[in-house]
């Protein structure tokens, strides 16, 4: 059956959050917020094509060759499975992203499918993945 979802999510004073807003066996949608910094060490998703759409802020992505791509509000980047990348918030506001993935759903096992350039798994919730827990700003939300 059809399912509706909301993109409403708290703004952050620090850290980052990832909220699953909808998923099926073959497709999943997240809203991600970054107060500063960004995500990740260089990595790829072996079994997942995915895209990020900037809803607010600006993101700068880098690939394995250190090529830089700036993605502004209302723009996106498509990352096919096996494409190495990492990104940082590069704007002066919270970075709010819509993330859509398709393929073999790694979220049944949060640490599956993410691989570092050394060929070893790179768990999503690890120090190596630069996890900083998000701290919501009371009463402030994207999507209000």
């Amino acid at each position: 059956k059809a399912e509706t979802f909301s993109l409403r999510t708290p703004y952050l004073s620090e850290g980052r959050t990832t909220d699953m807003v909808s998923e099926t066996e073959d497709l999943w949608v997240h809203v991600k917020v970054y107060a500063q910094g960004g995500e990740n060490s260089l990595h790829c998703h072996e079994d997942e094509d995915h895209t990020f759409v900037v809803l607010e802020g600006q993101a700068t992505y880098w690939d394995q060759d250190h090529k830089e791509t700036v993605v502004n509000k209302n723009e996106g980047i498509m990352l096919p499975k096996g494409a190495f990348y990492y990104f940082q918030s590069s704007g002066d506001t919270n970075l709010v992203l819509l993330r859509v993935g398709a393929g073999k759903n790694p979220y049944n096992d949060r640490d599956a499918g993410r691989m570092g350039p050394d060929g070893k798994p790179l768990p999503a919730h690890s120090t190596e993945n630069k996890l900083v827990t998000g701290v919501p700003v009371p009463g402030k939300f994207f999507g209000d």
Side-chain angles (χ1 to χ4, degrees):
K1 292 185 177 186
E3 179 179 295
T4 62
F5 55 87
S6 172
L7 302 181
R8 185 176 190 267
T9 191
Y11 284 114
L12 304 176
S13 61
E14 63 182 81
R16 69 183 195 212
T17 57
T18 299
D19 296 318
M20 176 77 75
V21 294
S22 189
E23 69 179 314
T24 66
E25 185 177 337
D26 300 317
L27 184 72
W28 43 97
V29 180
H30 294 93
V31 174
K32 300 172 76 68
V33 180
Y34 297 81
Q36 69 282 329
E39 182 174 311
N40 301 347
S41 298
L42 186 66
H43 72 287
C44 75
H45 298 268
E46 299 175 287
D47 297 317
E48 176 190 11
D49 295 322
H50 63 296
T51 188
F52 292 96
V53 177
V54 176
L55 302 175
E56 188 168 308
Q58 180 187 69
T60 300
Y61 290 79
W62 291 270
D63 66 15
Q64 71 276 9
D65 298 321
H66 310 290
K67 180 182 176 230
E68 181 179 295
T69 302
V70 176
V71 182
N72 293 298
K73 182 177 179 180
N74 299 322
E75 297 177 344
I77 188 169
M78 177 65 72
L79 297 160
K81 60 184 152 199
F84 281 91
Y85 75 99
Y86 70 98
F87 69 89
Q88 297 285 316
S89 173
S90 50
D92 56 4
T93 64
N94 273 202
L95 172 61
V96 181
L97 298 170
L98 179 68
R99 184 192 190 283
V100 180
K104 182 180 174 194
N105 192 338
Y107 298 99
N108 297 326
D109 175 358
R110 292 283 298 169
D111 292 331
R114 181 188 304 262
M115 183 178 69
D118 59 1
K120 295 180 182 175
L122 181 64
H125 296 101
S126 67
T127 303
E128 297 79 22
N129 198 40
K130 301 180 181 172
L131 175 66
V132 178
T133 302
V135 177
V137 175
K140 301 256 182 173
F141 295 88
F142 172 83
D144 271 352

